[in-house]
Amino acid sequence: MSDTKLGTAPHRKGLTRRQKRRLSRGIQYAVFLAAVIAFAVSADWDRLQNQFAQADIADQMFPDVITLALKNTVLYTVSGFVVGLLLGMVIALMRLSSVGPYRWFAGVYIEIFRGLPALLIFIFIGVAVPLAFPGTEIIGGTYGKVALALGLVAAAYMAETIRAGIQAVPKGQMEAARSLGFSPARAMISIIIPQAFRIILPPLTNELVLLFKDSSLVLFLGVTLEERELSKYGRDLASTTANSTPILVAGLCYLLVTIPLGFVVRRMEAKAQEAVK
């Protein structure tokens, strides 16, 4: 007797959920591969090579692109990061303060410097400050101006990151420190802040990567030949040679720093997640 006569529905064979996922993933891979092939076939590689990959022009950039441009970029970034970290720590503590004016000032600072483009901050430091205070010079010359401009921008983001890290430390840590005779300030410096930094180390490293790229705005301060960073160095040579190879080489130099930093961030985030588990 057939299944139909018994009143049971015939068995239908269909794709399982796992098979559907595999099929969907395979279609996505096929579409992506087709797009890559179409791009590779339709692109004019000879023109691209002539404009962006001239070996003789790239050779002319070395070693100055490393010993001068990359070195200045790293110096600008590190100095801005240090200023931003110190100022961000102060702003974060003011944000957490029980004193109203401190909290208000920190809140206004964060909203203003997070909302303004970094370009406007560089223009303000390079133009408005000399006009407002004639005859005054920022310590460190161009390096000091870049450190201040980058630090002012970075501090707004770092302050919120540090504040979140401090608040993520269990309150029992402060209570335990106070029970051992620590003052609130000493407990914060010796117990809370070190634990907070272990939590926020990955996002702070991300901020370092962003500052490394923002250092290209130094050109708006008017730098000398010896103070050029990667972007300015690449643009100047591109204008001189009427070729974009220097810009490509400068971009590759950025990747020499940002890719390892990105790998470090991912490793730290993975370790932090393992520690939580």
Side-chain angles (χ1 to χ4, degrees):
M1 186 178 293
S2 65
D3 290 341
T4 305
K5 291 181 179 180
L6 291 175
T8 59
H11 178 68
R12 295 181 180 178
K13 291 184 178 180
L15 296 176
T16 64
R17 184 174 300 177
R18 178 178 297 180
Q19 290 173 333
K20 290 179 180 179
R21 286 200 300 266
R22 289 179 178 176
L23 178 61
S24 176
R25 192 178 299 115
I27 293 174
Q28 293 174 21
Y29 290 158
V31 171
F32 175 75
L33 181 61
V36 172
I37 293 174
F39 171 78
V41 171
S42 60
D44 191 338
W45 294 104
D46 291 335
R47 293 184 64 183
L48 285 173
Q49 181 179 0
N50 290 333
Q51 186 64 27
F52 289 96
Q54 291 294 321
D56 56 337
I57 297 177
D59 289 339
Q60 297 174 11
M61 299 179 65
F62 291 91
D64 288 347
V65 68
I66 302 295
T67 59
L68 175 68
L70 182 58
K71 181 198 72 174
N72 283 336
T73 301
V74 172
L75 289 176
Y76 293 147
T77 303
V78 172
S79 60
F81 183 80
V82 172
V83 173
L85 184 61
L86 295 176
L87 183 58
M89 175 65 70
V90 174
I91 297 298
L93 294 177
M94 294 176 68
R95 185 82 162 167
L96 295 171
S97 175
S98 58
V99 181
Y102 289 168
R103 294 197 308 273
W104 303 333
F105 175 82
V108 171
Y109 177 92
I110 291 171
E111 293 302 323
I112 289 177
F113 283 93
R114 280 199 310 183
L116 289 175
L119 171 61
L120 295 183
I121 306 302
F122 272 82
I123 295 176
F124 176 81
I125 296 297
V127 178
V129 171
L131 290 176
F133 305 98
T136 59
E137 287 290 337
I138 296 177
I139 299 175
T142 300
Y143 294 96
K145 293 178 182 178
V146 176
L148 180 59
L150 288 177
L152 288 173
V153 175
Y157 295 93
M158 291 186 185
E160 287 293 88
T161 301
I162 295 171
R163 178 188 62 80
I166 292 175
Q167 291 180 327
V169 177
K171 294 182 179 180
Q173 296 292 316
M174 175 63 79
E175 295 172 355
R178 293 300 306 277
S179 66
L180 292 175
F182 284 72
S183 65
R186 185 183 174 190
M188 179 64 70
I189 295 173
S190 302
I191 306 296
I192 305 301
I193 290 179
Q195 295 185 60
F197 267 87
R198 282 194 289 270
I199 297 172
I200 65 175
L201 197 54
L204 284 182
T205 309
N206 272 328
E207 185 62 32
L208 181 62
V209 174
L210 295 176
L211 285 180
F212 188 75
K213 294 183 293 183
D214 285 343
S215 63
S216 61
L217 297 173
V218 68
L219 64 93
F220 291 97
L221 295 178
V223 296
T224 65
L225 293 178
E226 296 300 318
E227 295 171 339
R228 292 177 297 175
E229 42 70 52
L230 282 171
S231 293
K232 175 66 173 172
Y233 184 83
R235 288 182 60 184
D236 287 349
L237 283 183
S239 299
T240 302
T241 61
N243 191 274
S244 300
T245 299
I247 296 178
L248 176 63
V249 174
L252 293 176
C253 289
Y254 276 105
L255 294 179
L256 286 176
V257 177
T258 56
I259 290 178
L261 278 177
F263 176 77
V264 170
V265 171
R266 290 191 295 271
R267 291 293 300 169
M268 288 190 299
E269 289 177 345
K271 289 185 177 180
Q273 290 177 357
E274 292 176 0
V276 172
K277 294 179 180 180

